[in-house]
């Protein structure tokens, strides 16, 4: 019955992936570590040196963006109550395994990727999304690392806006029109 309220077909009309991690399954041998060793590893994950290294690798222009504030924000989740226990549980579970699910995404998808991503190499990982997803298109963000929404926010917003306004996102039988809230975002960008 097409009028069934439980029918979710068409619920998600499109996706936008930004330097996404979708092809690294699990956490490897760390899932077999005894809890005390795993907890020691978790301490390393929240350490300033490791987070600072990731902070430096995240940006095309680390002098401007890999600031002390960015380091604090990047560590914030690690310092919350319960994070260590949650991370231990995640490690012991073997982590998540998204790789086989990526090809099931069949809606129009914009894959945005910072050309100079130092965390996930775009030539390898971005192309995997394009190869696995039948309705995906790749848009490189130039002079940009792993976080286009922070390092190139206006350009990233423009690419997303263009995608959302494209014919791919227009429902069949309807004319393209911009949602009033979305239109306000677009006027802000102009």
């Amino acid at each position: 019955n097409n009028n069934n309220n439980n029918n979710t077909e068409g619920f998600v009309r499109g996706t936008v992936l930004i330097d996404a991690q979708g092809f690294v399954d699990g956490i490897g041998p760390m899932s077999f570590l005894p809890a005390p060793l795993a907890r020691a590893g978790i301490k390393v994950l929240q350490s300033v040196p490791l987070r600072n290294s990731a902070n430096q690798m995240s940006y095309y222009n680390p002098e401007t963006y890999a600031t002390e504030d960015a380091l604090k924000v990047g560590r914030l989740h690690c310092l919350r109550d319960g994070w260590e226990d949650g991370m231990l549980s995640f490690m012991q579970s073997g982590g998540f395994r998204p790789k086989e699910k990526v090809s099931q995404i069949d809606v129009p998808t914009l894959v945005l990727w910072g050309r100079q991503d130092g965390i996930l190499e775009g030539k390898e990982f971005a192309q995997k999304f394009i190869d696995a997803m039948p309705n995906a298109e790749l848009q490189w963000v130039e002079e940009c690392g792993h976080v286009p929404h922070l390092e190139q926010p206006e350009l990233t917003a423009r690419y997303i806006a263009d995608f959302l306004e494209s014919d791919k996102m227009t429902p069949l039988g309807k004319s393209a029109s911009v949602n009033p809230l979305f239109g306000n975002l677009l006027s802000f960008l102009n």
Side-chain angles (χ1 to χ4, degrees):
N1 179 356
N2 287 340
N3 294 325
N4 185 340
N5 288 337
N6 292 327
N7 184 0
T8 58
E9 184 174 311
F11 182 72
V12 175
R13 293 193 5 231
T15 59
V16 176
L17 304 175
I18 301 177
D19 288 69
Q21 188 287 82
F23 289 95
V24 180
D25 280 349
I27 60 167
M30 288 190 297
S31 63
F32 301 109
L33 289 175
L37 284 177
R39 284 196 184 279
I42 290 167
K43 290 288 187 193
V44 171
L45 286 176
Q46 54 186 177
S47 71
V48 170
L50 184 96
R51 290 290 163 181
N52 189 50
S53 177
N55 196 26
Q56 295 295 318
M57 292 169 56
S58 293
Y59 299 102
Y60 169 74
N61 184 350
E63 296 79 25
T64 299
Y65 294 99
T67 63
E68 188 67 28
D69 285 343
L71 175 62
K72 288 176 185 175
V73 169
R75 289 185 71 226
L76 198 57
H77 68 286
C78 301
L79 304 175
R80 294 192 46 93
D81 288 341
W83 182 80
E84 287 184 28
D85 291 336
M87 191 64 192
L88 178 62
S89 176
F90 174 75
M91 289 173 72
Q92 290 173 334
S93 78
F96 56 87
R97 303 187 183 289
K99 187 175 5 181
E100 275 132 36
K101 298 192 184 297
V102 172
S103 63
Q104 296 173 22
I105 301 171
D106 62 358
V107 295
T109 300
L110 174 62
V111 178
L112 284 173
W113 215 278
R115 178 78 74 177
Q116 291 79 22
D117 187 338
I119 303 292
L120 294 171
E121 215 299 309
K123 286 181 186 172
E124 176 185 355
F125 288 102
Q127 191 59 49
K128 286 182 177 185
F129 283 101
I130 301 307
D131 293 343
M133 298 170 66
N135 295 310
E137 65 182 74
L138 173 61
Q139 176 64 62
W140 292 104
V141 182
E142 301 296 336
E143 297 183 2
C144 188
H146 187 65
V147 283
H149 52 289
L150 298 178
E151 200 165 16
Q152 297 284 359
E154 293 85 8
L155 187 56
T156 300
R158 171 52 52 202
Y159 288 146
I160 294 170
D162 289 349
F163 173 71
L164 293 175
E165 289 184 315
S166 73
D167 291 340
K168 293 176 184 176
M169 296 301 297
T170 304
L172 293 175
K174 302 215 176 178
S175 61
S177 65
V178 177
N179 177 305
L181 285 174
F182 192 63
N184 291 336
L185 170 66
L186 295 178
S187 65
F188 171 76
L189 294 173
N190 291 329

